[in-house]
Amino acid sequence: MSYRITGLSPDLFTHLWPLDDAALGRQSMRRVVADSDRGFPCRVSLDNARVGEVLLLLPFQHHDVTGPYRAGGPIFVRERAGEAAVFENRIPESFLRRLLSVRAYDADGWMQASEVVEGTQLVQAIEGFFQRVEVNYLHLHNARPGCFAARVDRH
């Protein structure tokens, strides 16, 4: 089963970096500096920021569909994330150490199934969900805080 995990395009956030803290705050956003090598997962690079890196913490509509499964939530984006990460038939290293919620959607954005798995079991979960013909794509979330992690598509 061939699949692709992709990060968000950095172009979605380029216009935010020049804003000062007050302007960010008016949009419910905040500039933060990572004080740990864990806990600041960038949704562009699909890797954790390192101590001292600057990020934006912002609300993001990660499932922009019509219907009850439309969803959004907080994400981190690293200032130095230059291009969207793409992982073909492999799992980002930072995902392997997380408990993940996997949500399977059909082409209309309706949830068809879901599961919570350890990151080390993610490949099996992806392959299992994509065996179902009604499943078009997956969303991964960090299970404990519930934050969006990445989208997975058949490839």
Side-chain angles (χ1 to χ4, degrees):
M1 178 72 49
S2 187
Y3 62 90
R4 175 185 295 144
I5 301 174
T6 54
L8 299 172
S9 170
D11 297 339
L12 296 170
F13 312 104
T14 305
H15 68 285
L16 299 173
W17 291 107
L19 299 179
D20 64 23
D21 290 345
L24 289 171
R26 287 191 292 276
Q27 297 181 64
S28 301
M29 300 176 190
R30 180 179 293 175
R31 191 179 324 273
V32 298
V33 177
D35 60 4
S36 171
D37 287 345
R38 290 199 57 179
F40 297 89
C42 176
R43 295 302 158 226
V44 173
S45 65
L46 301 182
D47 195 10
N48 292 313
R50 304 292 177 244
V51 170
E53 283 192 79
V54 177
L55 305 97
L56 292 178
L57 175 59
L58 64 135
F60 183 75
Q61 192 78 38
H62 59 80
H63 200 228
D64 195 10
V65 297
T66 302
Y69 294 104
R70 180 182 174 103
I75 63 167
F76 286 106
V77 176
R78 293 161 67 189
E79 185 174 31
R80 289 189 267 174
E83 61 183 64
V86 177
F87 289 82
E88 304 273 352
N89 302 316
R90 61 188 180 96
I91 305 299
E93 181 71 28
S94 65
F95 289 21
L96 296 174
R97 297 181 301 275
R98 298 188 185 281
L99 183 65
L100 299 166
S101 168
V102 184
R103 300 170 189 175
Y105 296 97
D106 66 18
D108 295 320
W110 285 79
M111 190 181 301
Q112 298 299 307
S114 63
E115 186 66 50
V116 175
V117 300
E118 292 291 341
T120 55
Q121 300 301 310
L122 185 55
V123 170
Q124 294 89 330
I126 290 169
E127 290 174 350
F129 281 125
F130 281 154
Q131 287 178 8
R132 298 173 64 160
V133 295
E134 70 275 16
V135 172
N136 188 265
Y137 60 94
L138 309 174
H139 274 195
L140 307 177
H141 294 255
N142 293 327
R144 289 186 179 93
C147 302
F148 174 73
R151 179 175 166 132
V152 185
D153 292 286
R154 294 175 194 270
H155 181 61

